[in-house]
Amino acid sequence: MPYPSSKLAVRDSFDDEDVSDDVEDEVFIRDGRNGFKVDEERGVKRPLMAPRRKSKSSQFHSEIGRNPPCRALCAPFCYGFIALAVLLGLILLVVSLVMWFPFPLDKVIKFWKVGEGSQLDSIIVPCTELVVEDVWTRSLPKLTVESAVRLNDVNRDGVMDVIVGYGTGADGHNVPNFMCTLYFDRKTPCLGGVIALDGLTGNTIWQHWTSHPIFTVDCSADLTEDKTSDCLISGKGGVLQLVNGHDGSNVWQFVEQVGGAELHGEPFVDIFSAQFIQDVDGDGLPDVLAAHTQDTPEGMKGCLVLISGKEGKFLQKVATPHQEETYYAPQVLVYLDGASIVMFGTGGQASPGGLYAVPLHQLVKGNMLEVQELYRDEAKGIMSPPVLADLNQDGSEDVVAAMFNSVVIAFNGLTLQPLWNVSFPGSETFSAPTPSYFNDDSIPDFLVKYQNGPGFPVYYSSQTTVLDGKTGTPLLDKPVVDTAGSQMGGLSISVEGLGNDLLLYWTANCLHHEGPTKPFSFMPGSSIQAQSRADLCQMLFNSTLSTQFVALSQHVEPPGIAVYSSEERRELEYNSSVNTSAQAHHYLDTHPDFLDAYRRNTVISNKKKEFEGDTTGASSFRHRGDDSVLGNNVKGKGSNYFYNEGDYLVANQGQNRISNDAGEQEETLASDFQGDHIVAHPKAHLGQVHESTHYQSCFQ
């Protein structure tokens, strides 16, 4: 019987799909030795019979004919709905986390992409929320503050106490002695001073009075060697004293001398601004370097003065370049080799000036031949001190200065050449830069504040931003803009982790009219004192000034988190005010012999008439008052009197009383404003015999 060929026949039309995967009959071959074997074990041999193929057509048609179950149709929809619900839940979770814990995207990326050489353990989550809790509050009626607050443990309890230099609204030029008795119930001096407040309770530890306001306070050296740092105070009227830090007593008072004789009479302008420096006279104790500006028959002149820290004796005096006025304490830049360079600025708000450097050892000798000019402005001077910080990481401090005329410049501390500069056109500043680690590098950054407008004292707005210490590039997307702005720098709080520091600064806006004002101008002839003290919010918007002390970091949305708000503290601020005119009237009523002692003085006689005719016309203090806050009208005293626990409080008279720094002329501004011009008319001079008269403002 012939066998078919052993070759497999190949059909072009054969399709694998035509063959069923299910083979009903196994195909065997006979093997004499092994019996029956499956063809898979032996390979392909001659089959006894061909395998049967099953067609799928019948099964396919039978499945089409069936009705599919409901769950077969619903399953895709169920799975899709579940996936959508999970996705929406994740989105809601992310949104909630972002709202509750705001965190910049670049910081989130850091947790996923750890840089080379860094570790997750070194990443510190920044603070994005603050809770403000009062430790204590303290009001100081009749006092004004233009100096920085200093910390010094004067009672030796291990807690830093608060040192504040102050002035009073009664300060002026040749103020008569009876003012101290009338307004402060004390003998002279009474027009300025420094006060120490307990850091635990806010109670007064000691108070030291001076003849004029204090501008600068330095409590960084122990000159009395009693283990408590003493305080160097300086300011108007030639005030330059060393105060014992423990009890507030006077250690020494510097008196300017000319040709070995003390100066007689009181100059119209006589301002000191001083700080401690290293020992230069060889007695082993720190000494004092001061900037001094005084008016002379030839005009304003400035100089640098060296004084012995131990005894307050004169050591050296040199004139500034061009004998230009100078208003802030010089600074000392110390190099790695121990060499010291004195940095100082000159000029005024409308007079030329510059930034200079001179070796300290040459200054001690009185030699200014090696003075180097870093910056010069022929229109305006330098009104605020620079900041010393290492910007290029060469181990030496560099210099960052905010010029009065709209420019911030960083200088290399070794070469004194510019590193970068940033301009704020059409602006001016009295504020020193505030250093902090705002971004994520190891170079300090700087908060700066500039006022925009034609020039002091007319400003339409204020802008605040933070500059990169490495390049000077602004780090905020846009500056913080407010109506008035403060003319002071900020503070920084060091927080663990680079880029986590907090910057504290003041903002000032007209209530419900935040942002810049429309351009305005004062009437020609109005004094600069009246312009600088005008209540613009009242005049422009019939509103009040609202101030905030805010905390800002790169993790907090500008302008920042409010730490203090004048609106929230309205009752504390206003109910602590004192109506000094009413207080003086009350003193005269209870001390009839006081008038007898000064009856021959025409000024005090006129003051008595002024008190009797108008209780708001006598005071040169600056008050804050509001009828909605004050109450308890004193019976029989009329609507001008308000009484609260024995103190007379100021009433809102609808007028803003102005007193210039010299004290020779008082002015009144109306509380309403119409048009785009403001003017203040002069009142009676202090030394003249005139009845008190209020003048309404005139507008064009």
Side-chain angles (χ1 to χ4, degrees):
M1 177 178 180
Y3 290 93
S5 171
S6 62
K7 295 182 179 181
L8 294 176
V10 179
R11 295 188 303 160
D12 294 337
S13 61
F14 185 81
D15 192 352
D16 292 338
E17 294 181 356
D18 295 337
V19 181
S20 172
D21 293 334
D22 299 329
V23 180
E24 294 182 354
D25 300 323
E26 292 182 346
V27 180
F28 296 93
I29 62 174
R30 186 180 299 277
D31 186 268
R33 292 172 298 176
N34 300 326
F36 293 97
K37 297 286 184 179
V38 181
D39 61 350
E40 293 177 355
E41 298 177 4
R42 301 286 298 175
V44 179
K45 294 187 178 181
R46 296 188 184 110
L48 297 178
M49 59 180 296
R52 292 183 296 175
R53 294 187 295 273
K54 296 175 62 177
S55 175
K56 290 185 177 181
S57 59
S58 60
Q59 182 180 0
F60 176 76
H61 289 292
S62 64
E63 290 179 356
I64 292 179
R66 298 175 186 173
N67 292 325
C70 293
R71 64 179 182 178
L73 297 176
C74 295
F77 294 101
C78 292
Y79 294 148
F81 178 78
I82 293 173
L84 181 61
V86 171
L87 180 61
L88 291 176
L90 290 175
I91 293 175
L92 290 175
L93 178 62
V94 172
V95 171
S96 300
L97 290 175
V98 170
M99 292 178 62
W100 293 336
F101 308 101
F103 208 55
L105 181 60
D106 60 336
K107 302 301 176 187
V108 177
I109 295 176
K110 287 185 179 181
F111 286 100
W112 299 96
K113 296 182 178 180
V114 181
E116 182 179 355
S118 62
Q119 298 179 355
L120 281 174
D121 294 340
S122 64
I123 298 178
I124 300 173
V125 178
C127 178
T128 58
E129 293 184 358
L130 295 177
V131 177
V132 180
E133 181 179 352
D134 289 348
V135 177
W136 48 262
T137 62
R138 176 71 187 276
S139 296
L140 302 172
K142 297 189 288 187
L143 302 186
T144 61
V145 178
E146 296 186 64
S147 71
V149 175
R150 303 299 183 188
L151 300 179
N152 186 20
D153 184 10
V154 300
N155 57 5
R156 304 169 187 169
D157 62 354
V159 177
M160 300 300 284
D161 304 306
V162 179
I163 313 298
V164 182
Y166 62 84
T168 68
D171 177 62
H173 183 250
N174 289 328
V175 176
N177 292 338
F178 68 79
M179 295 288 286
C180 293
T181 305
L182 196 62
Y183 287 110
F184 298 99
D185 195 17
R186 59 166 284 119
K187 296 181 179 180
T188 58
C190 69
L191 304 181
V194 60
I195 187 171
L197 305 178
D198 193 315
L200 285 175
T201 64
N203 296 328
T204 300
I205 299 176
W206 52 255
Q207 187 171 9
H208 179 88
W209 290 88
T210 59
S211 57
H212 290 282
I214 299 302
F215 288 163
T216 58
V217 179
D218 185 353
C219 300
S220 61
D222 180 12
L223 275 299
T224 56
E225 300 182 279
D226 60 356
K227 298 183 180 180
T228 299
S229 295
D230 303 307
C231 294
L232 180 70
I233 60 175
S234 53
K236 290 178 62 177
V239 174
L240 179 54
Q241 299 179 22
L242 180 66
V243 177
N244 187 299
H246 181 60
D247 58 16
S249 61
N250 184 61
V251 178
W252 54 254
Q253 179 174 351
F254 179 75
V255 179
E256 180 75 5
Q257 296 183 348
V258 177
E262 294 185 7
L263 290 174
H264 295 283
E266 184 175 315
F268 189 78
V269 175
D270 189 9
I271 299 176
F272 276 102
S273 183
Q275 71 169 8
F276 292 117
I277 62 170
Q278 63 259 45
D279 177 29
V280 296
D281 62 358
D283 62 2
L285 294 175
D287 293 311
V288 175
L289 176 59
H292 184 208
T293 295
Q294 190 177 70
D295 67 323
T296 68
E298 295 80 22
M300 304 286 286
K301 291 187 177 181
C303 62
L304 303 181
V305 184
L306 281 169
I307 302 165
S308 169
K310 182 178 181 179
E311 299 178 346
K313 292 183 178 180
F314 170 83
L315 296 178
Q316 188 59 265
K317 178 179 179 180
V318 295
T320 59
H322 313 289
Q323 294 187 327
E324 292 168 341
E325 55 204 291
T326 178
Y327 292 108
Y328 70 83
Q331 297 160 291
V332 178
L333 183 65
V334 180
Y335 290 154
L336 295 177
D337 60 0
S340 297
I341 303 295
V342 176
M343 309 288 301
F344 64 96
T346 66
Q349 300 161 0
S351 59
L355 183 64
Y356 299 92
V358 62
L360 177 60
H361 71 276
Q362 296 292 341
L363 181 62
V364 173
K365 299 176 182 178
N367 181 13
M368 293 291 282
L369 296 178
E370 295 187 20
V371 66
Q372 182 175 347
E373 182 180 282
L374 281 68
Y375 172 84
R376 180 72 182 171
D377 191 322
E378 294 299 334
K380 302 174 183 179
I382 315 296
M383 304 298 294
S384 56
V387 175
L388 306 181
D390 187 4
L391 303 184
N392 51 16
Q393 297 183 319
D394 61 356
S396 296
E397 291 179 322
D398 303 304
V399 181
V400 180
M403 314 305 180
F404 184 70
N405 193 8
S406 71
V407 181
V408 181
I409 304 179
F411 298 92
N412 185 306
L414 292 176
T415 65
L416 301 182
Q417 296 301 310
L419 295 173
W420 50 258
N421 69 83
V422 180
S423 179
F424 300 88
S427 66
E428 297 173 344
T429 187
F430 292 91
S431 307
T434 304
S436 74
Y437 291 100
F438 191 82
N439 59 10
D440 298 317
D441 59 29
S442 58
I443 298 175
D445 310 301
F446 301 91
L447 179 141
V448 295
K449 195 174 190 71
Y450 274 85
Q451 286 79 37
N452 301 94
F456 178 82
V458 181
Y459 299 122
Y460 305 145
S461 65
S462 173
Q463 58 176 318
T464 304
T465 191
V466 181
L467 303 180
D468 190 328
K470 183 184 297 184
T471 64
T473 305
L475 295 176
L476 301 184
D477 293 335
K478 57 182 180 180
V480 177
V481 178
D482 47 1
T483 307
S486 64
Q487 296 179 355
M488 67 175 66
L491 299 172
S492 58
I493 299 178
S494 180
V495 181
E496 187 178 6
L498 288 177
N500 293 340
D501 284 3
L502 289 171
L503 284 164
L504 301 175
Y505 68 99
W506 286 97
T507 64
N509 285 283
C510 295
L511 191 62
H512 307 308
H513 296 276
E514 290 75 12
T517 65
K518 295 181 180 180
F520 64 90
S521 62
F522 290 93
M523 285 288 292
S526 58
S527 71
I528 193 171
Q529 289 84 8
Q531 295 178 16
S532 62
R533 296 177 180 176
D535 189 345
L536 294 180
C537 292
Q538 174 70 28
M539 294 179 173
L540 296 175
F541 306 113
N542 193 26
S543 178
T544 59
L545 186 67
S546 174
T547 60
Q548 282 191 329
F549 195 46
V550 298
L552 175 67
S553 76
Q554 66 166 325
H555 313 292
V556 176
E557 186 73 17
I561 302 172
V563 176
Y564 179 93
S565 172
S566 62
E567 286 303 301
E568 296 177 358
R569 304 285 183 155
R570 189 175 180 84
E571 183 175 355
L572 174 66
E573 290 189 2
Y574 282 73
N575 276 351
S576 299
S577 299
V578 174
N579 187 338
T580 52
S581 298
Q583 193 175 56
H585 193 178
H586 177 71
Y587 183 88
L588 294 177
D589 289 342
T590 56
H591 296 78
D593 56 332
F594 181 83
L595 282 180
D596 294 335
Y598 293 97
R599 187 167 298 278
R600 294 183 180 180
N601 190 317
T602 57
V603 175
I604 192 61
S605 299
N606 183 64
K607 282 291 180 180
K608 175 62 177 176
K609 295 178 182 179
E610 186 172 347
F611 293 148
E612 293 174 348
D614 185 352
T615 59
T616 66
S619 173
S620 60
F621 291 89
R622 284 163 281 182
H623 314 295
R624 303 190 69 177
D626 191 298
D627 289 335
S628 63
V629 178
L630 304 177
N632 303 325
N633 195 338
V634 178
K635 183 177 180 180
K637 291 295 185 180
S639 60
N640 290 334
Y641 281 83
F642 290 86
Y643 185 81
N644 184 10
E645 297 181 358
D647 292 331
Y648 287 93
L649 304 181
V650 64
N652 184 8
Q653 301 296 323
Q655 293 181 336
N656 303 286
R657 189 163 182 78
I658 304 300
S659 172
N660 65 12
D661 290 335
E664 292 186 340
Q665 177 175 294
E666 296 178 348
E667 298 165 326
T668 302
L669 297 179
S671 59
D672 56 349
F673 174 82
Q674 297 175 355
D676 58 355
H677 290 279
I678 306 172
V679 66
H681 285 286
K683 272 195 57 181
H685 289 274
L686 183 63
Q688 296 176 337
V689 182
H690 290 292
E691 291 291 333
S692 173
T693 306
H694 288 295
Y695 289 84
Q696 297 295 327
S697 298
C698 299
F699 306 96
Q700 285 186 346

